[in-house]
Each structure stands twice: as C-alpha cells, then as structure tokens.
Amino acid sequence: MSDVRKKVAYLKGLVDGMDLNPENKETRLLKEIVEVLEQMAEAIHDLHEDYEELEEYLESIDEDLYDLEDEVYAGDEDEYEEDEDEDEEDEEEEEDEGDYIEVECPKCHEIVCFDADVLDDEDVVEVTCPNCETVVFVNDEDEKASAIEEEPPDPKDTDDI
C-alpha cells in the first residue's frame, strides 16, 4: 500500500517541478488529477490499516473461542460418558416398562398386542381386534363374560377343528 502513496507523491513532485503555467487549463486539470489520486491513495491506506486491525481482532477472538471450547468441553468428557451410561440405563428401563400382552382374536385368529397397563386401569377397557373389530379382551371380569357370550361363533372358525 505504501507503494501507491509513494507513486502518487512522485507524480505530484513531477507536476510541481514542471514549470507549468498555473493559468493554463491543462495544468489545473493535471494538478486536480494528482490531488484526487493522493486522496484515493490515502483512503486505500486507511482501509488497509483498518483491515489489518480487524484481522488481528478476529484472530484474538478465534484464540479466545478455542480456549473457551477447551474449558467447556474438556471438563465435560467424563460427564458426557456418564450421561451416555445413564441414557442407556433409561432406555433399558423403558424397554422393561413397555410390557405388552398378546391375545389371539377368536374370530380372525390375528394376534392383538396391547399395553399391560390396561390390566391396572380402574375403568372398563375393551381391546378390539384391528382386523375384524371383535372384542378380544376386557379388563373387567363381569364385562368379559358378557362380551364372550354376546359373540356368536363364526362358522368358518369351526371348519379348522
């Protein structure tokens, strides 16, 4: 960047040393051009200095961020491993909690699965087959007997026997 400033200063010196008539239009034009070049060279120099300052500032932020990442993540490695172990234990517990009951539908012989928590439900819950919509399970003893009595046997079912 200093090369541009030096070249503009050299041009200014050449124009000043040329014993040109100050009243001449070409002389005034030449001096104005050199002055504009001088201002442009100064502006470019200022921009370059600002750029270098920003570059240094960005590098210091980058170093600080790197140090911060080391502090935050370096201490968390053991905690991260512990969290992974806890997550695996939670998944195993969820699998154990996910008990379900399988019942064969008396009408279409499809296996119907439902949550075992239905057994503990105080309300009457009827589980129906998704294929034929036959009631395959009722969590209330009185309702079980009436549901089974209400369904007439399917003649197709007796063909298998």
Side-chain angles (χ1 to χ4, degrees):
M1 286 296 119
S2 62
D3 289 342
V4 174
R5 291 173 61 193
K6 285 181 184 178
K7 288 179 181 179
V8 171
Y10 175 74
L11 288 174
K12 186 176 183 180
L14 280 178
V15 170
D16 289 342
M18 288 180 71
D19 291 334
L20 298 172
N21 182 6
E23 299 298 324
N24 195 350
K25 292 180 182 177
E26 289 85 14
T27 305
R28 287 192 319 217
L29 176 65
L30 196 55
K31 285 188 176 187
E32 287 295 321
I33 290 173
V34 170
E35 191 173 319
V36 168
L37 285 174
E38 189 177 27
Q39 290 173 355
M40 288 176 60
E42 191 62 35
I44 290 172
H45 177 71
D46 291 345
L47 283 173
H48 185 70
E49 285 181 348
D50 290 345
Y51 168 77
E52 287 178 344
E53 185 179 321
L54 281 172
E55 189 175 27
E56 289 175 16
Y57 181 67
L58 182 63
E59 286 175 4
S60 72
I61 288 175
D62 189 39
E63 289 172 6
D64 291 344
L65 179 61
Y66 181 75
D67 294 341
L68 183 63
E69 286 175 342
D70 280 348
E71 279 184 39
V72 170
Y73 294 119
D76 285 348
E77 287 178 8
D78 295 334
E79 291 176 20
Y80 178 72
E81 290 173 8
E82 290 174 9
D83 288 345
E84 274 185 356
D85 294 339
E86 289 175 8
D87 289 343
E88 289 174 6
E89 290 173 6
D90 290 344
E91 287 175 8
E92 289 173 6
E93 288 176 11
E94 287 176 7
E95 289 174 5
D96 293 341
E97 291 174 4
D99 292 336
Y100 59 93
I101 297 174
E102 292 181 359
V103 178
E104 184 178 346
C105 175
K107 189 172 184 180
C108 68
H109 302 289
E110 183 72 26
I111 301 294
V112 178
C113 300
F114 59 92
D115 193 4
D117 293 339
V118 170
L119 299 174
D120 300 331
D121 201 344
E122 293 179 10
D123 296 332
V124 176
V125 176
E126 292 182 346
V127 178
T128 59
C129 176
N131 290 336
C132 63
E133 297 185 14
T134 303
V135 176
V136 294
F137 182 82
V138 180
N139 70 336
D140 186 31
E141 293 297 324
D142 297 333
E143 291 290 324
K144 280 184 194 176
S146 64
I148 293 173
E149 291 173 5
E150 290 176 5
E151 295 179 25
D154 190 6
K156 293 180 186 174
D157 289 342
T158 57
D159 292 340
D160 294 342
I161 299 178

